[in-house]
Amino acid sequence: MNDDNRYGDITEFIDGVLTTIGKETLTGDELALFNDEVVANFRDYVNPGFLEYRKSVADDGNYAAVEWRSSSPNTLMDSRGNTYIDCLGGFGIYNVGHRNPAVLKAVRQQMDKQPLHSQELLDPLRALLAKVLAQLTPGGLQYSFFTNSGTESVEAALKLAKGYQASRGKTTVISTTGAFHGKSLGSLSATAKSVFRKPFMPLVPGFRHVAYGDIDAMRKIVADCATVGDDVAAIILEPVQGEGGVIVPPADYLPAIRQLCDDEGIVMILDEVQTGFGRTGRMFACEHYGVTPDILCLAKSMGGGVVPAGAVVATEELFSTLFENPFLHTSTFGGNPLACAAALATIKELIDNDLPGAAAEKGKVMLDRMIALKDEFPDLILEARGQGLLMAFEFQENDIGYAFSKGMFDRGVLVAGTLINAKTVRIEPPLTITLDQCHQVMDTARAVLQEVRNSL
Ligand SMILES: *Cc1c(COP(=O)(O)O)cnc(C)c1O
C-alpha cells in the first residue's frame, strides 16, 4: 500500500523552497525565517564546521550572511540586502561578471532546446567548442576532453600523460611546493599542502614535489629520478600559483621548464584552471612567456560563472593516446550542451570586450595602489604582488590578514582570505570590475588598514 503522507513533509518543504526561489525579494519575516533555516541546515545537514569558519571571518554577528543573488556584474547581495563588491570572484569563476547576459541567453536557449545530451548521437556543441578552444589556445594544442571541474581536468591530464608515457616506461610526476591542483585522489597527489593530503595517504604513487620557481631544483630532481630508474613522465604546475598565495615565478622559469621537458621527453602540463580565460592579463597566462604546454587544464571561469565547465586541451601527439579507444576516459556530464553553450558565449564575451586587456589595465591600477599601501603600512603588509587581476597582499602575520578580511567584509568588499593561511589575502574581482570600483576597493582597503593599525 502506498502511504500518501509518507513524503508529505518533504514535498511541503520543497514547495516552500521553490516558492522562495521564485521570489525577487523577501519580506522581513520571510528573511528572518530563511536565514535561520539555512543556518540550521548548514549546522545539521551540511557541516557545522562551515559556521565555525564563518564566525572566524566575521565575528560581528553578521557571520551567517546568507547569499541571495548577484546584484550586478561585480556585486552580490545577501539575504539581508547588504551588497558586496566581489573581489573574491568565486576564486576566479566570474571572469565575465555575474549573470553575464550573453552567457545567460546562450544557456537559456540551449536549455529550451536540449539541456543534456543523449550520450549516443554526436552532440554538436562539444565539437564546436573543441574547435574554438583549439583556435583560442596557443601553439599546437588541438584536442579537447571536457570535464565539470578543475580537479577533473587535472585527473584527465594526469591520465593522459600517464597513458602516453606508459609504453616509454616513465611513471613519475613532478609537482611543485605550494601547488594546488584539486582534491580528488589523483589531483590531490599533485597538490602540495600537507593538511589536505596527510589524512588521505597513501595517495597515488610516483609523485614528487620540488620548490616552485626554482629551475635548478627541477633539473636536479629530473636527473635524480632518471638515475634511480623513476623516469619522469610529466611535470605539472600553475603558471602563477593561485591558492599557494599568488606566486608569480621568475620570468625565465616556464621557458626553462619547457626546454627541460623537450630535452628529456617529459610531458608538460600547465594547470590554468584559475589563471585561464584572461585572469592574468592574457587569454592564458602561459602566453606571457611564449610557452605552450603539451596539456592545458581549464575550468573555473570557463562556464562564465553560470554553468560548471572544464576541459583539458592537448596536442595531437598526446591526445592520440585516446584515439583507439575513446572510452578509456569518459564523463557523463563533461561537455554537456549547457556547459558548452556557456563556454562558447563566455569566450566571445572575453574577446568582444577585450577582458584580458581589461585585466591587465585594471590589475595595474589596483596593484599600483596596493604597492602604495604596502609602503604606507609596512608594519602590516609584507608584500603586494600579482599578475593582471590575480593579486594578493601578504601580511606580516595571520591575525592581520584575518582582521583585514573581516574589515573588508564588514565594509562590503569580499576578499579571499583562507582559513589555512590568512597571512596572504587574494584579490580576484571579475574582469568586468569598473575603474571606480577598483578605486573604491582600494579606498576601503586603506580605511581598513588604518583601523587595523589603530587596533594593534
Ligand atoms: C581551483 C583550482 C583547481 C580545482 O578546481 P575545482 O573546480 O575546485 O576542482 C585546480 N587547479 C587550480 C590551479 C585551481 O585554482
Side-chain angles (χ1 to χ4, degrees):
M1 270 275 291
N2 199 11
D3 179 356
D4 277 350
N5 255 342
R6 188 165 155 217
Y7 297 121
D9 288 350
I10 298 178
T11 53
E12 193 182 323
F13 180 78
I14 294 174
D15 271 342
V17 177
L18 294 176
T19 304
T20 303
I21 292 174
K23 286 186 177 167
E24 275 292 304
T25 51
L26 300 179
T27 66
D29 283 353
E30 288 170 335
L31 205 59
L33 275 172
F34 184 67
N35 272 283
D36 291 351
E37 182 73 33
V38 171
V39 171
N41 291 179
F42 257 88
R43 186 190 59 228
D44 297 339
Y45 304 110
V46 180
N47 187 334
F50 284 120
L51 299 181
E52 286 308 309
Y53 164 68
R54 289 297 315 162
K55 271 181 199 162
S56 73
V57 173
D59 57 4
D60 68 337
N62 199 18
Y63 71 90
V66 171
E67 59 188 32
W68 175 242
R69 62 174 304 145
S70 307
S71 41
S72 79
N74 309 314
T75 60
L76 57 93
M77 195 190 279
D78 69 19
S79 58
R80 296 164 206 254
N82 300 313
T83 299
Y84 305 87
I85 298 183
D86 185 6
C87 277
L88 191 154
F91 298 123
I93 63 180
Y94 293 115
N95 287 14
V96 297
H98 290 252
R99 298 187 74 246
N100 180 294
V103 179
L104 287 179
K105 180 179 171 200
V107 170
R108 280 198 185 112
Q109 289 181 337
Q110 183 57 40
M111 179 140 38
D112 287 340
K113 193 171 286 116
Q114 186 190 29
L116 297 175
H117 48 310
S118 71
Q119 312 281 338
E120 174 56 20
L121 281 66
L122 295 178
D123 45 321
L125 295 191
R126 175 194 308 269
L128 306 176
L129 174 59
K131 174 180 175 171
V132 168
L133 284 177
Q135 292 172 336
L136 188 74
T137 54
L141 294 170
Q142 184 178 345
Y143 284 91
S144 288
F145 174 83
F146 294 104
T147 70
N148 307 287
S149 66
T151 197
E152 285 176 65
S153 295
V154 171
E155 294 290 336
L158 292 172
K159 283 184 70 179
L160 201 49
K162 280 180 156 248
Y164 175 76
Q165 297 283 29
S167 62
R168 295 167 175 82
K170 299 178 174 183
T171 58
T172 300
V173 178
I174 310 287
S175 179
T176 54
T177 53
F180 185 82
H181 296 294
K183 290 179 185 162
S184 54
L185 284 172
S187 67
L188 185 61
S189 307
T191 288
K193 200 175 268 181
S194 172
V195 279
F196 294 152
R197 304 175 88 239
K198 202 82 183 177
F200 308 107
M201 287 186 173
L203 299 171
V204 176
F207 280 77
R208 310 273 183 94
H209 290 77
V210 67
Y212 183 74
D214 183 344
I215 187 64
D216 291 331
M218 185 65 85
R219 288 197 186 108
K220 181 163 187 314
I221 199 167
V222 167
D224 287 349
C225 283
T227 305
V228 298
D230 295 338
D231 296 47
V232 176
I235 293 174
I236 179 167
L237 37 82
E238 300 152 88
V240 178
Q241 288 189 332
E243 302 288 322
V246 186
I247 311 296
V248 184
D252 55 1
Y253 183 60
L254 286 187
I257 295 277
R258 179 69 271 180
Q259 189 63 51
L260 178 65
C261 288
D262 289 342
D263 292 346
E264 304 295 330
I266 296 167
V267 173
M268 180 175 178
I269 304 171
L270 276 185
D271 180 349
E272 294 229 27
V273 165
Q274 188 157 169
T275 55
F277 297 110
R279 171 60 53 191
T280 69
R282 303 293 290 265
M283 190 61 79
F284 300 101
C286 60
E287 293 172 43
H288 288 290
Y289 309 101
V291 166
T292 307
D294 301 299
I295 306 176
L296 181 67
C297 302
L298 303 170
K300 287 212 166 95
S301 66
M302 184 169 149
V306 175
V307 183
V312 280
V313 193
T315 60
E316 180 172 11
E317 165 87 4
L318 258 293
F319 206 91
S320 59
T321 309
L322 302 178
F323 283 175
E324 199 187 328
N325 184 354
F327 301 103
L328 270 184
H329 190 66
T330 58
S331 163
T332 301
F333 289 131
N336 71 70
L338 291 182
C340 290
L344 285 160
T346 298
I347 291 166
K348 187 159 182 314
E349 280 295 284
L350 287 165
I351 296 171
D352 283 352
N353 301 300
D354 187 20
L355 291 179
E361 183 201 333
K362 311 245 162 68
K364 176 155 181 9
V365 169
M366 289 185 94
L367 190 58
D368 283 350
R369 286 204 60 184
M370 287 168 70
I371 290 168
L373 287 174
K374 190 211 90 179
D375 293 340
E376 192 182 344
F377 298 91
D379 48 325
L380 305 181
I381 304 171
L382 201 61
E383 195 183 20
R385 55 178 178 255
Q387 193 176 45
L389 281 173
L390 180 55
M391 302 160 294
F393 278 125
E394 183 171 339
F395 292 98
Q396 298 284 4
E397 285 165 36
N398 266 332
D399 289 352
I400 300 173
Y402 273 125
F404 177 76
S405 297
K406 278 181 200 168
M408 294 296 277
F409 180 79
D410 292 342
R411 287 166 186 255
V413 180
L414 286 187
V415 293
T418 68
L419 183 66
I420 308 302
N421 183 2
K423 223 178 133 181
T424 302
V425 171
R426 260 179 301 170
I427 297 182
E428 202 172 349
L431 311 188
T432 50
I433 189 168
T434 66
L435 218 44
D436 271 358
Q437 286 169 328
C438 291
H439 286 298
Q440 203 182 323
V441 168
M442 287 303 142
D443 292 345
T444 305
R446 187 163 183 275
V448 169
L449 288 165
Q450 200 67 257
E451 205 175 81
V452 172
R453 178 186 271 166
N454 292 341
S455 73
L456 289 181

